Amino acid sequence: TGESAWAGGSSGVGYASPLAATLAGRPQILIVNHRSLASHDPRSGAVLWEVPFGAGMPLVANPVVIAPDSVLVSAGYNVGSERFSVSAGTQEPVSLWKSRKLKAKFANPILRGGYVYGLDDGILACIDIRDGSQRWKEGRYGHGQGLLHGDLLILMSESGELILLNPTPEAPNELGRLPVFSSKTWNPIALRGNQLLVRNDREAALVTLPLAGP
């Protein structure tokens, strides 16, 4: 009917998208608000838990589930990242660590193995999920967007250049570059098979990549 099924929470809105997740065995919807990370019951919308996060500036990057009972949230504007653990019984969140070694302003952090890769205020960085320590930081790509395909990181830089990497805890391992746009590019990218759709506020392009897969 289009009528509201439920509503929950009273925090100011942020730019991040709601994320369906399961933490400590319980399905929930995670969302980064104006100055908090909140979890909602997907059946009723009731707030399961909420923790302060951020410093009053826009929060854009989505949270990342990095373990069955643990979530990472990150923000730019000198905020950094924080890992929370959620208990199975009470669903009470506990901060495990805070780190300013990954400040994800626009791009969503990406989990691969025991490490998270992301743009730390425009520079690609790798942090260890155990303690938030940084393994490396190099490559000035600006506030772009990326996604993981198998072991490969496909990254669209803020300047409109497409970069293919095979990041490891030891190095970013850049494999190649392709200039696509000549203007500011902040938009997320979408992949189907080996066809990559990229766009900004002026134009769009379809790029065929040397990738295998469905």
Side-chain angles (χ1 to χ4, degrees), residues 1-7:
T1 64
E3 294 187 9
S4 176
W6 54 251

Side-chain angles (χ1 to χ4, degrees), residues 6 41 54 119 183 200:
W6 54 251
D41 187 319
L119 291 170
S183 57
N200 59 19

Side-chain angles (χ1 to χ4, degrees), residues 65-140:
V65 176
I66 58 176
D69 63 349
S70 187
V71 60
L72 175 78
V73 63
S74 184
Y77 302 100
N78 212 31
V79 173
S81 300
E82 189 166 0
R83 178 178 177 177
F84 295 96
S85 177
V86 178
S87 65
T90 64
Q91 286 283 306
E92 186 72 23
V94 175
S95 177
L96 298 180
W97 52 254
K98 297 180 181 180
S99 172
R100 292 174 63 187
K101 298 300 183 179
L102 178 60
K103 301 176 287 294
K105 186 174 182 179
F106 287 163
N108 299 324
I110 292 172
L111 175 68
R112 180 185 171 196
Y115 301 89
V116 168
Y117 302 89
L119 291 170
D120 175 39
D121 272 343
I123 303 175
L124 189 62
C126 169
I127 64 170
D128 193 320
I129 65 171
R130 294 173 295 183
D131 57 8
S133 61
Q134 190 177 88
R135 297 299 300 265
W136 50 259
K137 178 180 176 179
E138 57 182 279
R140 295 182 178 274

Side-chain angles (χ1 to χ4, degrees), residues 20-43:
T22 298
L23 288 175
R26 182 165 183 172
Q28 46 203 282
I29 298 173
L30 302 176
I31 188 165
V32 180
N33 297 311
H34 178 56
R35 297 195 68 166
S36 69
L37 170 66
S39 168
H40 294 258
D41 187 319
R43 295 166 297 184

Side-chain angles (χ1 to χ4, degrees), residues 169-188:
E170 290 71 41
N173 300 316
E174 186 174 311
L175 303 176
R177 290 173 173 246
L178 176 68
V180 181
F181 304 128
S182 58
S183 57
K184 184 184 292 182
T185 303
W186 286 349
N187 303 67

